[in-house]
Amino acid sequence: MPKPSSTLLSRRGLLAAGGALGLVAALTACGGDTAKDGAGDKGGTSAGAWSFKDDLGKEATAKSTPKNVVAYTGTAAALYDYGVQVKGVFGPTKLADGKPDPMAGSMDISKVEILGNVYDEFNVEKYAALRPDLLATNTWDGSYWYVPEASKDKILKLAPAAAIGVGDKVSMDKALERTADLAKSLGADLNTRKSADAKARFDAASAKVREAVKANPGVKVLVGSGSDQMFYVSTPKTSADLKYFESLGVEFVTPEQDKLDPQGFFESLSWENAGKYKADVILLDNRTQALQPEALKAKPTWNELPAVKAGQVAPRVTEPIYSYEKCAQLLEDLAKTIQNAKKLG
């Protein structure tokens, strides 16, 4: 998945604020709530030591189960589905009209402190004031997703951090399992009827995708994202959702390996060359920073794509909320898209 573009999103130099630096230094000197010894990656209870080994291979530890959790919006939304409420979030949370960003899922965003709403925006002073005892996020490429590189070291000094893998060699089922592990370590009860029903729904939705592919074989799916200057075509090999869809039999358009970006997520095409790959269906990036179908009508080459002409464009939730409940819905929608698609070759 591509990094959010700096040409589309605002950036702020938050660490220029002396107050933020002073508060960071003060809390770091106090030592926070971290401890050297943990209780295993399944976590513990508030009465004992807590630890969680994340997908970067690092172990986050604390003297007790973290209560003041701050998380990337998508991670927070997944934890919320398991009954874990965070104190603060960073990442796409609120739209310009004040409504929740889709990344916020079912969360009530009025009950969380928003530390940053776009890429590279993270208010360190507000973060420190929350007295965090855990920062949770995803990882696509070995970094902490949406934690700004410029302020990363200062942010990570304030509290332990845990990252869940959602890219590279990870598949959706593994990302779901690991997110559930994190939620359990933070006190979520995964033995409820709600949890059982969500997992059953996910399994049934996976079966629906398999059945749709078998009933309508040969449908070619292109995963794309539009910006003002470029059309990005994603490979299914480096994103957890696409890898899982492919394992269910979905046939994707795969960009040329030697044309991919340095991180290996997508090929960048000028709009003049947007028709390089033929596809029956386009799954279009639904994130706030990406151009949506109405805006793309201004691009002549977009209008000429066979899938666009046929009305076979469906939204792609590029950053899934990794709870079984939310991912089941994605699979159900994908099954319908494949089932109803006409081959255009």
Side-chain angles (χ1 to χ4, degrees):
M1 185 197 70
K3 287 277 190 181
S5 172
S6 59
T7 62
L8 297 173
L9 302 174
S10 63
R11 295 173 178 265
R12 297 182 184 177
L14 296 172
L15 294 181
L21 294 177
L23 192 49
V24 170
L27 291 182
T28 301
C30 291
D33 289 328
T34 58
K36 293 182 178 180
D37 298 318
D41 68 359
K42 295 298 182 181
T45 67
S46 57
W50 174 92
S51 70
F52 183 85
K53 188 171 183 179
D54 75 357
D55 293 339
L56 295 177
K58 299 178 181 179
E59 189 163 15
T61 64
K63 293 179 180 178
S64 61
T65 302
K67 298 300 181 186
N68 291 341
V69 179
V70 173
Y72 171 62
T73 305
T75 310
L79 293 174
Y80 182 88
D81 285 348
Y82 288 111
V84 178
Q85 177 71 54
V86 305
K87 299 289 186 180
V89 296
F90 54 96
T93 307
K94 183 186 291 188
L95 299 175
D97 61 6
K99 294 179 180 179
D101 189 280
M103 282 301 308
S106 302
M107 281 193 303
D108 182 347
I109 64 172
S110 70
K111 294 183 178 180
V112 294
E113 182 76 52
I114 300 174
L115 306 177
N117 202 49
V118 297
Y119 189 69
D120 243 10
E121 181 180 79
F122 193 116
N123 191 312
V124 183
E125 184 172 12
K126 286 184 178 180
Y127 179 59
L130 290 174
R131 302 192 68 85
D133 43 28
L134 179 68
L135 182 146
T137 186
N138 293 333
T139 181
W140 289 82
D141 57 2
S143 64
Y144 293 100
W145 187 232
Y146 265 73
V147 175
E149 186 64 29
S151 52
K152 178 186 68 175
D153 292 344
K154 294 178 175 63
I155 291 168
L156 296 179
K157 284 180 180 178
L158 283 172
I164 300 298
V166 297
D168 197 16
K169 298 179 181 179
V170 177
S171 185
M172 174 179 273
D173 50 346
K174 183 63 175 177
L176 282 164
E177 178 186 323
R178 293 291 290 143
T179 303
D181 285 345
L182 177 60
K184 182 179 180 180
S185 81
L186 295 173
D189 183 359
L190 303 187
N191 295 317
T192 64
R193 178 63 180 270
K194 179 184 177 182
S195 291
D197 287 349
K199 179 61 164 63
R201 181 184 173 191
F202 175 82
D203 292 339
S206 297
K208 287 179 181 178
V209 174
R210 290 191 188 94
E211 292 164 5
V213 170
K214 289 180 181 178
N216 194 9
V219 172
K220 299 289 288 184
V221 179
L222 182 148
V223 179
S225 182
S227 72
D228 187 54
Q229 299 296 323
M230 308 294 288
F231 184 56
Y232 304 99
V233 179
S234 294
T235 173
K237 307 300 182 183
T238 50
S239 298
D241 60 331
L242 302 184
K243 283 176 67 67
Y244 187 67
F245 299 163
E246 192 172 49
S247 76
L248 299 177
V250 178
E251 295 184 38
F252 286 105
V253 169
T254 301
E256 297 176 59
Q257 183 67 31
D258 62 352
K259 299 295 177 60
L260 297 178
D261 69 295
Q263 294 175 311
F265 288 109
F266 57 84
E267 178 180 353
S268 301
L269 301 175
S270 66
W271 278 110
E272 290 78 6
N273 296 312
K276 177 178 178 179
Y277 298 106
K278 304 303 180 184
D280 304 305
V281 170
I282 294 175
L283 294 183
L284 186 67
D285 186 352
N286 78 329
R287 290 177 298 169
T288 306
Q289 68 265 29
L291 296 183
Q292 299 308 303
E294 190 62 32
L296 288 171
K297 288 180 180 179
K299 305 292 184 184
T301 49
W302 167 261
N303 297 318
E304 292 303 312
L305 297 177
V308 176
K309 285 185 174 181
Q312 296 185 166
V313 178
R316 180 208 175 190
V317 180
T318 304
E319 293 189 57
I321 295 170
Y322 282 99
S323 69
Y324 287 104
E325 174 187 328
K326 296 297 191 293
C327 288
Q329 183 66 59
L330 300 187
L331 290 167
E332 290 163 357
D333 292 343
L334 179 62
K336 290 177 183 177
T337 297
I338 299 294
Q339 182 178 341
N340 296 330
K342 295 180 180 178
K343 289 182 279 293
L344 306 176

